[in-house]
Amino acid sequence: MPAFTSGLLVLAPNLTRLRVALTAALCAGLAVTIGAATGHANTGLIASTGSLAALYATDGTARREAVGVATAAAALSVSLAAGTLATGPWSAVAVTTAWTAVVAYGCAALAPRPPGAMMFILLCTLGTVLPGTSLTSVLATAATGATAAALTAAGQRRSRPSTTTPMLTDTLRARLTRARWSLNPKASPLVVMAARSALAVALAGSAAVTVGAERPYWAMAATAAVLGRGNQAATALLRAVQRLTGTLAGCLVAGLLLLAHPRDLVAALVLAALTLGTELFVARNYALAMVFVTPMALLLTDAAGPALPVGPLLASRAGETLLGCAAAVAVSQVVTRRWAVRHHRRALQAVLRFTAQEPSGAPSPREAQERAGRLAGAVHRLETVATRTAAERRGIRAATEELRILSDRALAQARTLLNGPGPLQGDASTRQDALSLPACSEPESRPV
């Protein structure tokens, strides 16, 4: 069954994230309610976006979850503040493009849970159209995010404490190795991948401004959302179809809600419900999640100002989403086979080199930990590269097929070494692979 079709059939919510979803919904509703009660409804609506920080809660201890949500809250506030630097349509495109490059690289390196870079770019695009009281809105958004972090920590303390023992793949040495690799543009593909996302956002924004779109930031936000889980060709195409399908369905829901023109407490309840639905489905059925996200975005646009005609508003949302999806799919093709093969082969060589090393005598515990950390970092690098090349266009997948087969065997061997009781020591076939692999030839870089 095609991935798109099977994805649409997943209709069960992710109940394991119910606590996180309820936290996000509560914070969103609270922000809107306080804003309405104090006579600052617009600020409350914008501040409700700080509740999105709760979506980045990881599974772990209370401290780890709170730190993760607090970090996301700070990043969301900074994203909103970055968008306020824009002074016009073209500067909005420039600011959003630059911020996309930063957060796309950061999220690719740190690998946060869904929705990844999407929400940070969304807040930046929102900041480009923020009204005059921008500082108040940024501070209110940060306060909402801080509330989400506090509620996350409190809820986790009441839950059963984690008894999971960290594996060797999560040692400090492994994290440092991953960080050094991620920051090296010659060894890591992450820099180029982040630049590709930024190029797509720039293309969408420039096209929207050029054609005179009423809200160019919607096109840029759509592009960022499509590329938020990976800007490879196959991934981008699948996400673009799901995004567009979900947006069209969401416009129908939004049309019904906008006719009621909810305000104050009703708006708070509606936004809380939409936030809850977004979190429960965003990781399982992206198209269905867009049915919740689209009304949320349109209600924020509608409630932050005077009533707007529903028909043109929905048409604008659909049209700019289509433009953003098209830009994302077009730029996802910008990669050569030579580049993909080179990065895949180097990542495979690193794993084979570490698994082929024979320890001289019995290594000390510290030496064994250091070797395990280096190997874990190499495994992370190969997993990242292999996953990305497997989702590129057909010509690149064919060019890296032999490397993929070798990678599967090398990763299995490396995981056995990392999780085994004895010292790290590869077998003869692994050492032979490490010696013979550099002789592989690279394909031509002509496009497919």
Side-chain angles (χ1 to χ4, degrees):
M1 182 179 293
F4 171 70
T5 305
S6 61
L8 289 180
L9 295 178
V10 179
L11 300 178
N14 186 5
L15 295 181
T16 61
R17 300 287 295 179
L18 181 59
R19 178 173 58 83
V20 173
L22 289 173
T23 299
L26 176 61
C27 291
L30 188 62
V32 176
T33 301
I34 292 176
T38 57
H40 298 85
N42 293 357
T43 301
L45 287 163
I46 296 170
S48 69
T49 58
S51 66
L52 298 173
L55 307 185
Y56 292 88
T58 57
D59 297 324
T61 62
R63 179 182 177 185
R64 185 172 181 178
E65 285 210 356
V67 169
V69 176
T71 302
L76 289 170
S77 302
V78 173
S79 300
L80 187 65
T84 63
L85 299 176
T87 57
W90 286 109
S91 63
V93 173
V95 168
T96 305
T97 298
W99 191 246
T100 297
V102 172
V103 298
Y105 171 76
C107 288
L110 300 176
R113 73 172 309 278
M118 178 178 71
M119 295 304 180
F120 305 118
I121 302 173
L122 176 64
L123 264 289
C124 182
T125 61
L126 178 62
T128 62
V129 293
L130 207 60
T133 56
S134 56
L135 179 60
T136 303
S137 299
V138 171
L139 294 177
T141 301
T144 304
T147 303
L151 291 177
T152 298
Q156 179 67 1
R157 288 193 189 98
R158 291 192 295 270
S159 303
R160 181 180 300 176
S162 175
T163 58
T164 304
T165 302
M167 299 174 60
L168 287 175
T169 53
D170 197 31
T171 61
L172 177 61
R173 171 71 65 175
R175 292 194 293 270
L176 291 176
T177 301
R178 291 197 297 265
R180 284 197 299 269
W181 168 71
S182 299
L183 292 170
N184 184 351
K186 292 184 178 180
S188 167
L190 301 185
V191 175
V192 174
M193 303 302 266
R196 190 156 71 163
S197 293
L199 175 62
V201 169
L203 177 61
S206 299
V209 173
T210 301
V211 301
E214 189 174 356
R215 297 173 182 83
Y217 66 95
W218 275 352
M220 293 187 287
T223 302
V226 170
L227 302 180
R229 297 289 298 277
N231 52 23
Q232 307 91 310
T235 303
L237 179 60
L238 174 63
R239 295 268 294 186
V241 174
Q242 293 177 334
R243 173 83 184 190
L244 189 57
T245 302
T247 297
L248 294 177
C251 284
L252 298 177
V253 177
L256 298 176
L257 293 175
L258 290 173
L259 290 176
H261 199 58
R263 293 290 185 180
D264 302 336
L265 181 59
V266 177
L269 293 175
V270 171
L271 285 172
L274 293 173
T275 303
L276 178 68
T278 299
E279 165 56 21
L280 291 178
F281 286 99
V282 69
R284 288 200 173 189
N285 189 326
Y286 182 66
L288 185 55
M290 287 304 103
V291 178
F292 296 97
V293 172
T294 300
M296 188 190 309
L298 292 171
L299 284 174
L300 286 172
T301 301
D302 176 72
L308 299 173
V310 175
L313 185 64
L314 298 180
S316 176
R317 178 71 178 187
E320 286 159 30
T321 297
L322 176 60
L323 183 59
C325 290
V329 172
V331 175
S332 70
Q333 306 295 321
V334 182
V335 64
T336 64
R337 286 183 290 180
R338 180 183 295 275
W339 181 87
V341 169
R342 182 174 71 249
H343 278 285
H344 198 150
R345 194 175 67 168
R346 288 178 178 175
L348 176 57
Q349 287 172 353
V351 172
L352 293 175
R353 184 169 62 252
F354 285 125
T355 55
Q357 290 177 352
E358 294 189 49
S360 55
S364 66
R366 181 174 181 178
E367 290 173 340
Q369 191 77 354
E370 289 180 352
R371 291 193 64 210
R374 289 192 293 268
L375 177 57
V379 167
H380 169 77
R381 171 182 174 181
L382 180 55
E383 289 175 336
T384 301
V385 174
T387 300
R388 288 182 173 274
T389 54
E392 291 289 358
R393 63 177 183 264
R394 182 166 49 186
I396 292 178
R397 294 198 301 270
T400 56
E401 177 66 19
E402 183 178 355
L403 292 173
R404 184 190 62 77
I405 296 172
L406 290 173
S407 296
D408 290 342
R409 189 170 69 184
L411 288 172
Q413 169 75 1
R415 294 188 187 104
T416 300
L417 294 175
L418 285 171
N419 299 320
L424 299 178
Q425 183 173 358
D427 56 21
S429 64
T430 302
R431 289 192 290 275
Q432 182 61 36
D433 284 341
L435 293 173
S436 63
L437 184 62
C440 295
S441 60
E442 294 185 4
E444 295 295 329
S445 59
R446 61 183 182 275
V448 179

